[in-house]
Amino acid sequence: MAFMMPLCAINAAVPVSAQSDYDAQFLTWPTYNGEDLELTVKDNITHFRLWSPSADEAVVNLYDNGNTGAPYATLNMKYEPATGTWHTAVPEKLYGKFYTFRIKHNDKWLDETPGVWAKAVGVNGKRAAIIDFNTTNPAGWNEDKGPEVKNFSDVIVYEMHHRDMSMHPSSGIANKGKFLALTEPGTTSPEGEKTGIDHLKELGVTHVHILPSYDYNSVDEANLWTNTYNWGYDPLNYNAPEGSYSTNPSDPATRVREMKEMVKALHDAGIGVIMDVVYNHTAENDGSNFELTAPGYYHRHRNDGSYSDASGCGNETASDRKQMHDYIVNSVKYWADEYHIDGFRFDLMAIHDTETMNDVAAELKKINPSIFVYGEGWTAGDSPLAIERRALKENVSKMKDIAVFSDDLRDAVKGHYTDAADRGFATGKPGLEETVKIGIVAATPHPQVNFKNGNNSKFPYASSPEMIVNYVSCHDDLCLTDKLHKSMEGEPEENMLSAAKLAQTIVFTSQGTPFMFAGEEVFRDKKGVHNSYNQPDSINAIDWSNKAKYRDLFNYYKGLTELRKAHPAFRMTNADDIAKNLVFDKIDSKKTPNLISYSLKNHANGDSWKEIKVVFNGASKPQEVNIKGGNWKIVAAEGLISPNGGLGLFNGGKITLPAYSALILAQE
Ligand code: CA
């Protein structure tokens, strides 16, 4: 059985390969893109329509219960060759009932499956549920709307796991580990600091990115008292919420209603909701719902018929095939429509083809132009899909309204993810200046940046800053706090806090969209565990007592969100503006390594400030720079930040930056 591997940044060069001969057989199958796939309740009739062109026979089983007992009826389905679907109907509304499909394939009856389009499920997702979705909407749902996003560079992403946010006793949250955790106002830590949704409002992020919240396989929803933790990168039912995040996984409507309540509470707070989606592989191979409905079709294979494995989790799906392409597009559309989701983060996006990703973005835009789509522009292994078709970071300019993570900035600022002790630009390692600059200009063409000297990508792969998500850490690998502990071992914590501020200052002032990992604003750690996907809450949960302890750090992060929101110069919307208005100061990094200085000029992007000077000293010792004369307001210096420039005035001349620190100055 396939299972979890670290879904980290494997981005190695892989050999070019074409679609396998084995897979060519599926290209001739009839496809069907009707909205009535699998279940429709209409005009007092319940319809079942299963797409399965290679089945010999198909039945639907009807149940009174979500997980036990025999079917009360088994209905034969009739094949319709033009659409490749099997159909049957019952002349009543079957609300409250459950169903599974079963197909006979190569003279063998396969296991029961809830299908691939179950929108509500019983406990542990083995049977699909028939519910009236009108009963799942919270009060005011019809008027509910996420924040309007003019440009994707205006978004500030906060990546969180439901349990990380609320499980620790210090969260003060009642619905620990549940969707409802983010609906509770007024929660505080024992020290009286805001937690939960009030914390998010105080911090000032624009969007939360929730780790997988569709129904995943690994947590036993029938035994929640065991308190099992998982990130959820093991998809089971793509179109139903995960049961363990609901207060009652056995009632199919509860998880739907509670997830909507979470979305509504965040929207009411002005915060958008981005879902982490993992269409690139399934938790199981032969036992997956894809395989049990249309054997062979939805996954890619090697020429010998074995599953290819670009996900590193045992299989990979086939977005290059029509029915799978339509499935991905329709699935995200469904979440946007039914749950008002504001964005999608595609796991291992390069397993999908660029055409599918373009269609995803284009179709979502029709529903809501504010929806933000980004993903990991790499795979975790080789794929039969040709490299030029993959939604790789390097192919991002072939896509429209899709962004990718910049591993360039990530690895250069804090040190490489594969080596815990490796330092980065912000922690004193020389030679990474050019790669950091690639991040600062959002990987767009810039006259002063030599991409050939970059560590990761060797050419300006983004044609617009809206194609880049900048970050130094996420759920994968060591979080920033742990990385600093490991790579700066022996130095005082004060230095690590300085480096944390510097690292995030680089992220938040760079062009593109900033992205942060939940809890780093309160110096959360994961006890040094890098791949914590199935580790207990004692490793993963954020200790909110940290907020009082590291108040100064939290204030700094809050200052960063305020600065970015108040100053469009950090959020330019096209590459030409960046090339024209972002000017690096000449520094010989051989002589003075770990020093970067640049200006944002000409009231960039309509900024009220005429010029902003940004200087980073990543060295372990103080370094001096010479600032041209003028009436500078001090915005950030020596570990402090004042978004309005209230830290004092400076007339230019020599100024010293302490070790691991940023300096930001501004002129009206
Ligand atoms: Ca589940």
Side-chain angles (χ1 to χ4, degrees):
M1 189 179 305
F3 211 63
M4 295 287 319
M5 299 270 292
L7 293 175
C8 47
I10 297 165
N11 195 18
V14 283
V16 179
S17 42
Q19 169 120 19
S20 78
D21 295 340
Y22 181 93
D23 285 349
Q25 63 179 301
F26 302 112
L27 296 174
T28 58
W29 284 22
T31 59
Y32 181 67
N33 193 21
E35 283 180 9
D36 62 337
L37 274 168
E38 299 196 2
L39 176 74
T40 337
V41 183
K42 209 174 149 191
D43 304 329
N44 286 319
I45 304 172
T46 302
H47 292 271
F48 299 93
R49 182 180 294 282
L50 180 70
W51 184 77
S52 185
S54 69
D56 309 323
E57 289 179 61
V59 296
V60 58
N61 296 307
L62 299 175
Y63 294 93
D64 288 318
N65 187 294
N67 62 330
T68 57
Y72 72 81
T74 295
L75 310 174
N76 289 320
M77 304 179 85
K78 189 171 174 291
Y79 190 57
E80 297 175 4
T83 58
T85 62
W86 297 78
H87 176 259
T88 189
V90 178
E92 57 181 305
K93 288 180 179 166
L94 293 178
Y95 291 137
K97 304 296 185 193
F98 296 81
Y99 64 93
T100 63
F101 297 108
R102 227 179 150 189
I103 67 160
K104 193 175 170 190
H105 184 253
N106 289 343
D107 291 326
K108 193 182 147 215
W109 283 98
L110 304 187
D111 288 343
E112 285 178 73
T113 166
V116 301
W117 266 108
K119 292 168 181 162
V121 291
V123 69
N124 282 328
K126 298 297 177 203
R127 294 178 186 171
I130 307 172
I131 65 169
D132 181 358
F133 275 82
N134 290 320
T135 66
T136 64
N137 295 340
W141 186 245
N142 287 340
E143 290 73 47
D144 173 73
K145 261 180 84 175
E148 198 180 321
V149 177
K150 217 171 122 228
N151 302 298
F152 296 132
S153 45
D154 299 343
V155 170
I156 299 174
V157 183
Y158 186 85
E159 186 204 43
M160 55 151 277
H161 185 282
H162 298 291
R163 291 180 78 96
D164 291 13
M165 280 301 278
S166 56
M167 282 309 289
H168 200 279
S170 63
S171 74
I173 289 170
N175 291 287
K176 290 187 171 58
K178 305 295 179 190
F179 291 127
L180 293 181
L182 290 180
T183 68
E184 294 179 36
T187 60
T188 58
S189 70
E191 297 79 15
E193 294 283 2
K194 289 173 181 162
T195 60
I197 193 166
D198 289 355
H199 171 81
L200 295 173
K201 278 156 72 174
E202 189 184 8
L203 177 58
V205 294
T206 67
H207 287 63
V208 294
H209 155 165
I210 49 174
L211 260 63
S213 298
Y214 51 74
D215 182 25
Y216 59 79
N217 198 40
S218 51
V219 171
D220 183 358
E221 300 174 3
N223 289 295
L224 290 182
W225 55 272
T226 58
N227 266 327
T228 314
Y229 180 101
N230 206 283
W231 282 344
Y233 292 92
D234 53 331
L236 180 60
N237 292 297
Y238 283 103
N239 301 298
E242 162 61 14
S244 65
Y245 299 142
S246 78
T247 57
N248 183 6
S250 297
D251 174 40
T254 301
R255 60 178 81 185
V256 177
R257 188 180 305 114
E258 290 178 350
M259 186 164 173
K260 287 179 176 176
E261 282 176 20
M262 178 200 74
V263 171
K264 174 109 188 2
L266 286 163
H267 284 175
D268 288 348
I271 298 170
V273 181
I274 296 168
M275 265 181 71
D276 198 331
V277 289
V278 189
Y279 297 104
N280 67 73
H281 75 277
T282 49
E284 297 193 41
N285 289 356
D286 292 352
S288 66
N289 294 325
F290 283 145
E291 200 62 15
L292 293 176
T293 53
Y297 185 87
Y298 291 105
H299 293 103
R300 295 192 188 119
H301 302 82
R302 304 185 184 99
N303 274 331
D304 63 4
S306 63
Y307 290 94
S308 55
D309 185 20
S311 72
C313 296
N315 61 68
E316 65 180 281
T317 56
S319 65
D320 47 321
R321 268 169 241 161
K322 179 78 166 67
Q323 194 74 15
M324 185 63 200
H325 163 279
D326 291 348
Y327 182 78
I328 295 173
V329 172
N330 292 335
S331 181
V332 291
K333 278 171 71 180
Y334 172 70
W335 285 103
D337 267 331
E338 185 67 36
Y339 291 85
H340 304 176
I341 296 297
D342 306 285
F344 297 90
R345 175 267 189 197
F346 275 73
D347 189 65
L348 298 178
M349 184 169 73
I351 291 178
H352 308 312
D353 59 307
T354 53
E355 202 178 311
T356 296
M357 293 312 304
N358 275 330
D359 288 348
V360 160
E363 286 299 311
L364 287 172
K365 216 175 182 71
K366 290 181 196 163
I367 296 171
N368 175 4
S370 294
I371 291 177
F372 182 34
V373 182
Y374 56 97
E376 293 183 305
W378 47 74
T379 66
D382 194 17
S383 169
L385 187 71
I387 286 182
E388 59 271 20
R389 295 187 67 190
R390 296 180 195 172
L392 283 165
K393 186 179 86 157
E394 289 80 3
N395 289 334
V396 72
S397 294
K398 292 182 191 168
M399 296 185 273
K400 190 165 155 40
D401 297 319
I402 302 281
V404 291
F405 285 103
S406 167
D407 57 350
D408 313 76
L409 191 89
R410 181 197 68 195
D411 294 342
V413 168
K414 79 171 198 292
H416 204 265
Y417 74 95
T418 55
D419 177 3
D422 186 43
R423 293 196 182 211
F425 170 83
T427 45
K429 185 175 177 178
L432 296 162
E433 296 79 10
E434 208 67 18
T435 316
V436 174
K437 287 183 188 174
I438 290 173
I440 291 170
V441 300
T444 57
H446 191 283
Q448 292 174 286
V449 180
N450 185 352
F451 281 75
K452 291 203 168 56
N453 292 341
N455 264 10
N456 294 28
S457 296
K458 303 291 181 190
F459 72 103
Y461 54 89
S463 56
S464 156
E466 298 201 82
M467 295 178 174
I468 294 297
V469 174
N470 279 315
Y471 70 130
V472 284
S473 67
C474 64
H475 66 279
D476 273 326
D477 310 321
L478 290 178
C479 65
L480 181 59
T481 308
D482 284 335
K483 177 71 174 169
L484 296 173
H485 275 129
K486 298 250 181 189
S487 60
M488 299 176 80
E489 208 175 344
E491 292 194 41
E493 187 178 67
E494 195 190 329
N495 289 9
M496 299 174 197
L497 289 164
S498 297
K501 288 177 181 174
L502 172 60
Q504 295 290 13
T505 309
I506 298 173
V507 170
F508 275 77
T509 53
S510 288
Q511 303 300 317
T513 302
F515 170 107
M516 60 176 290
F517 180 45
E520 288 185 335
E521 70 281 16
V522 299
F523 214 49
R524 73 84 60 92
D525 61 23
K526 294 194 299 178
K527 315 285 186 292
V529 179
H530 71 103
N531 187 18
S532 63
Y533 76 95
N534 64 352
Q535 295 295 299
D537 295 318
S538 57
I539 300 292
N540 282 303
I542 299 167
D543 179 351
W544 291 101
S545 287
N546 271 18
K547 190 169 173 185
K549 191 174 169 191
Y550 297 107
R551 220 330 149 158
D552 171 67
L553 182 68
F554 175 78
N555 286 342
Y556 194 89
Y557 271 80
K558 188 169 177 288
L560 286 174
T561 64
E562 284 171 15
L563 174 67
R564 191 172 171 93
K565 287 200 273 194
H567 289 283
F570 300 111
R571 302 182 266 120
M572 285 186 257
T573 59
N574 65 75
D576 289 346
D577 279 358
I578 297 173
K580 195 173 76 200
N581 300 323
L582 195 159
V583 181
F584 289 99
D585 297 312
K586 285 198 173 59
I587 291 174
D588 183 346
S589 43
K590 293 246 164 31
K591 279 190 194 141
T592 47
N594 298 88
L595 195 63
I596 292 174
S597 173
Y598 67 92
S599 283
L600 299 167
K601 295 189 170 181
N602 316 317
H603 295 281
N605 199 22
D607 207 292
S608 58
W609 286 337
K610 185 179 173 208
E611 180 170 348
I612 305 171
K613 176 69 74 182
V614 183
V615 190
F616 303 130
N617 174 26
S620 58
K621 57 170 193 196
Q623 297 207 80
E624 195 179 69
V625 288
N626 202 1
I627 307 289
K628 74 173 179 196
N631 298 315
W632 297 100
K633 292 204 275 186
I634 303 175
V635 178
E638 303 185 3
L640 296 172
I641 189 166
S642 165
N644 299 320
L647 293 177
L649 299 170
F650 180 61
N651 292 324
K654 290 193 167 145
I655 186 166
T656 300
L657 280 78
Y660 315 127
S661 77
L663 172 72
I664 303 176
L665 306 169
Q667 274 191 43
E668 298 292 337

